[in-house]
Amino acid sequence: MHLFRHISIGHKILLALMLPLLAMGGFAGLQVVERLQLASSMSQLHQLTGLALTAGDLVHELQRERGGSAIFLGTQGRQYGAELQAQRAQTDRRIERFETRLQALGQGDGSDPAWQTMGVVSDHLAGLAALRQRVDAHAASASEVTGRYTELNAELIGIVGRLTHVTGEAQTTRSLAAYYSLLRAKELAGIERALLSGAFGADRIDGQAYQRFVSLIGAQDAQLSTFQILASSSQRALLATQLAGPEVERLEALRETVLLSAARQGFGIDPERWFEWQSVKIDRLKVVEDTVAESVLALVAGLRDGARRDLVRNGVIAAVIAGLVVLVAVSIGRSTVLRLRQTAQAMREIAEGDGDLTRRLSVTHHDEIGSLAAQFNAFAARMQGLLLDVKESAQRVYLSAEEIAQGARPWPPMPSRRRRACRRPRLPWSRSPRRSTIAPTRPSRRTRWHSPPPRWPAGEGCHAGGGRHHGRHQYVCGAYRRDHHADRQHRLPNQHPGP
C-alpha cells in the first residue's frame, strides 16, 4: 500500500470508482456483444430463410420441367414440346431470382454444410443447360433425366434442412422442420408425376420403376404425417382442406390402375391428363407450402427485429446506467475533494499567513468532512479565546510594570544639608491643611518601620524634585524616605543622602 501514499484523494476516489465501472462496463459490453451476435445470426437466418423459400419456388418449377421432360421423352417428342419450352423460361426466371439472393448473402464459410450444399446446387444449375440440350436431342432416357432433376431438387431442399441446425430457437426450428417435411412430400409427389408420365407415355412400366412407384406412395404419406405432427393447428387444417375434393380423389383411380395391372402395360391413360391431375395436387400442396413459408419468414423476421430491439435497449440501458454512475461518482468525488481542499486552505492560511482565527468553515454536510469542519471551527474559536486571554494578561502585566517603574524612580541628589522648603502636603489623616493632629509614628528600633506612611499622589503638594520633612520622614512626590539623620541602611534604592 506504499504506492498510494503519494496519490491525492481525488485520484484515489477515481481509482476506487474505476474498478466497479470497468466491471460494469465489461458486463454491459458482454451483453451488448451477445445481443449483437444474436442480431447478426437472426439477420443471417432471415436471409437464409428467404433463400430457402426461393429455393422452394425453384423446386416447384423444376418439378414441372422434370415432368414435362419425361412426357416429351416418353412420347418421342410428340407431346408437350411447346409446353416444355414455356416451362423452361419460367424455371430460368426462378433460377435468376435464386442466384440473386445467393449473391446477396456473400461468400460464406466454406466449412459450413449449408454453404457446401449451395456450392453443389450452383454446380447443378450450371449443368442444367447441357441436360436440356440432351433432352431436346433425345440423347438421354427419361429415367436418367428424372434422376438428374431429382438430385438437383434434393440439394435445393437440403438447404432448408440445413437451416434447422442454424438456430437454437425451438419454435423456429419446429416451423422449419415442418416446412422441410412438406417440401419433401411435394417433391415425392413430383417424382411420382414424372415417373407415371413416362410410364403412361410408353404405356408400360418396368419392375424397377414399379417398385419405386410403390415406395413413393409410402414416402409421401410418411412426410405428410411428419408435417401434421410439426405444423400448427391452422396449417394442419389448411392441408386437410387442400387435399380434399374430387380433384385429388380422382388420382387414386389412376394409381390403382398401375398397382393392379398384372402385365404392367397397356394402361390406356393419357400422360398429359395424368400430368395435369397430379399437377393440381402439387399446386395445392404449393398453397400450403407458401403459407408455411410466410409463417416461417415472419417468425424469423420477428426474431431478427426482437434481437435488434434488445441490442438497442441493452445498449441504451448500459449507457444510461454508466452515465448515471459516472455522474454520481464525479459529483461525490468533486464535493469531497473540494471540501477537503477548503479545509486544507484554511489551515494553510492560519499556519502561513497572518493567523486570522476569525475565519470559519461552512458546515453544510453531516458526514465526516462536516464533522472535521465543525471541529476545526471549535478549535479556531478556542484558540481565538485563548489568545485574547493572553493578550489581556499581557496588558495587565504591562500596566503593572509601568506602575512599578514609576514608583521606583531614582531621587535627585540634595544640593546642601539645609532643608529645602516645600509646601506641606495634605495628608489624608490630617484635619487641618496647616497642622496635622496625627503625627507620623516613629518606627521602633527593632522593627525599624512600624507602619509605612501612605504614599502621596504624584504632582500634588510638592514641586519637582522637592519634598518636605515631617518629623523624621520626608514626603516626596509618589514616595517617601527617612531623613538623612536616620540609619543609612534603610535608604531607598538609588537614592543618595543629603550632605
Side-chain angles (χ1 to χ4, degrees):
M1 292 300 177
H2 299 281
L3 180 64
F4 300 103
R5 291 183 178 179
H6 305 288
I7 300 178
S8 64
I9 297 295
H11 291 166
K12 290 179 180 178
I13 295 176
L14 180 61
L15 184 62
L17 293 175
M18 284 298 295
L19 296 178
L21 284 176
L22 289 176
M24 186 189 67
F27 179 75
L30 290 177
Q31 293 293 324
V32 171
V33 169
E34 181 180 356
R35 293 297 177 181
L36 183 61
Q37 292 177 352
L38 180 60
S40 178
S41 62
M42 288 299 103
S43 178
Q44 185 178 8
L45 179 61
H46 184 266
Q47 295 178 353
L48 290 174
T49 303
L51 178 65
L53 300 183
T54 306
D57 296 336
L58 178 57
V59 167
H60 183 72
E61 301 301 332
L62 289 173
Q63 289 171 352
R64 296 183 64 89
E65 184 176 343
R66 178 180 56 192
S69 298
I71 295 175
F72 182 78
L73 292 175
T75 59
Q76 300 296 322
R78 294 188 300 270
Q79 297 180 0
Y80 214 78
E83 293 82 352
L84 180 58
Q85 297 298 326
Q87 182 58 46
R88 287 176 177 175
Q90 184 67 22
T91 303
D92 290 339
R93 286 192 290 269
R94 293 294 182 180
I95 291 174
E96 182 179 358
R97 184 179 301 178
F98 175 80
E99 290 178 347
T100 301
R101 280 191 172 271
L102 187 60
Q103 292 177 358
L105 288 176
Q107 187 66 28
D109 188 5
S111 60
D112 190 359
W115 288 99
Q116 292 177 359
T117 303
M118 294 176 190
V120 174
V121 169
S122 299
D123 294 339
H124 282 287
L125 291 177
L128 184 60
L131 180 62
R132 289 174 176 176
Q133 292 178 0
R134 294 184 60 190
V135 171
D136 294 338
H138 300 278
S141 62
S143 59
E144 180 185 358
V145 174
T146 302
R148 292 286 300 275
Y149 278 103
T150 302
E151 292 177 1
L152 177 57
N153 289 340
E155 296 295 338
L156 289 170
I157 296 174
I159 296 176
V160 181
R162 300 293 183 183
L163 290 180
T164 58
H165 304 286
V166 173
T167 177
E169 206 276 327
Q171 184 60 35
T172 305
T173 303
R174 185 184 182 94
S175 299
L176 287 172
Y179 181 67
Y180 176 76
S181 298
L182 184 61
L183 285 179
R184 288 294 302 165
K186 192 165 73 70
E187 170 62 13
L188 294 173
I191 295 174
E192 180 187 4
R193 180 179 58 182
L195 181 62
L196 291 185
S197 294
F200 291 151
D203 202 18
R204 62 183 180 85
I205 186 172
D206 55 10
Q208 184 178 1
Y210 181 81
Q211 293 179 359
R212 189 176 183 187
F213 167 68
V214 174
S215 64
L216 286 173
I217 296 175
Q220 288 181 61
D221 295 338
Q223 292 295 334
L224 290 176
S225 299
T226 303
F227 172 79
Q228 291 178 353
I229 294 173
L230 298 175
S232 62
S233 57
S234 59
Q235 293 171 354
R236 290 194 296 268
L238 179 61
L239 178 64
T241 302
Q242 293 296 326
L243 294 183
E247 292 83 0
V248 178
E249 294 175 356
R250 63 187 178 183
L251 294 173
E252 295 298 327
L254 300 180
R255 281 182 174 180
E256 291 179 358
T257 301
V258 179
L259 291 174
L260 298 177
S261 175
R264 299 177 184 173
Q265 59 181 357
F267 304 116
I269 299 175
D270 186 5
E272 292 187 2
R273 185 179 62 176
W274 158 255
F275 184 85
E276 293 175 0
W277 288 5
Q278 184 70 1
S279 296
V280 172
K281 178 183 177 180
I282 294 176
D283 290 341
R284 291 193 174 187
L285 290 175
K286 177 62 177 174
V287 174
V288 182
E289 175 191 338
D290 293 339
T291 303
V292 176
E294 291 177 359
S295 65
V296 171
L297 190 61
L299 181 61
V300 174
L303 292 176
R304 179 199 61 186
D305 297 339
R308 290 178 177 176
R309 287 193 301 268
D310 292 341
L311 174 62
V312 174
R313 184 179 66 251
N314 290 348
V316 170
I317 292 175
V320 169
I321 293 176
L324 290 178
V325 170
V326 171
L327 180 62
V328 172
V330 170
S331 299
I332 295 176
R334 185 174 180 273
S335 175
T336 303
V337 173
L338 181 61
R339 287 186 289 160
L340 287 175
R341 287 178 179 175
Q342 290 176 353
T343 305
Q345 181 65 24
M347 293 182 177
R348 186 181 299 108
E349 290 179 357
I350 292 175
E352 299 178 356
D354 55 356
D356 185 10
L357 293 178
T358 61
R359 180 170 180 176
R360 299 293 183 268
L361 297 178
S362 60
V363 182
T364 58
H365 297 74
H366 300 283
D367 52 4
E368 289 78 2
I369 301 179
S371 177
L372 176 63
Q375 296 301 324
F376 173 80
N377 293 338
F379 170 76
R382 187 169 182 179
M383 289 295 297
Q384 182 182 7
L386 181 61
L387 291 179
L388 290 176
D389 293 341
V390 171
K391 181 179 180 181
E392 292 178 359
S393 300
Q395 290 178 352
R396 287 195 298 268
V397 170
Y398 177 77
L399 294 176
S400 300
E402 286 289 332
E403 292 179 359
I404 293 172
Q406 289 178 2
R409 182 182 304 170
W411 291 97
M414 296 297 293
S416 64
R417 294 177 61 90
R418 185 173 54 86
R419 298 180 180 178
R420 304 175 63 180
C422 180
R423 197 169 110 185
R424 185 178 180 179
R426 186 184 220 175
L427 299 178
W429 55 84
S430 64
R431 294 183 180 179
S432 172
R434 293 185 178 181
R435 184 174 182 177
S436 175
T437 58
I438 303 176
T441 305
R442 177 183 178 84
S444 64
R445 293 181 180 273
R446 180 177 297 178
T447 59
R448 291 294 178 182
W449 296 102
H450 175 71
S451 176
R455 297 170 57 187
W456 186 261
E460 292 189 16
C462 67
H463 57 83
R468 184 175 181 82
H469 289 279
H470 183 65
R472 298 191 66 85
H473 295 80
Q474 184 183 19
Y475 292 86
V476 293
C477 297
Y480 68 91
R481 69 180 181 89
R482 291 185 60 188
D483 189 75
H484 62 277
H485 300 288
D487 191 2
R488 297 178 181 273
Q489 294 178 356
H490 298 282
R491 292 194 302 268
L492 292 177
N494 300 327
Q495 292 190 2
H496 305 278

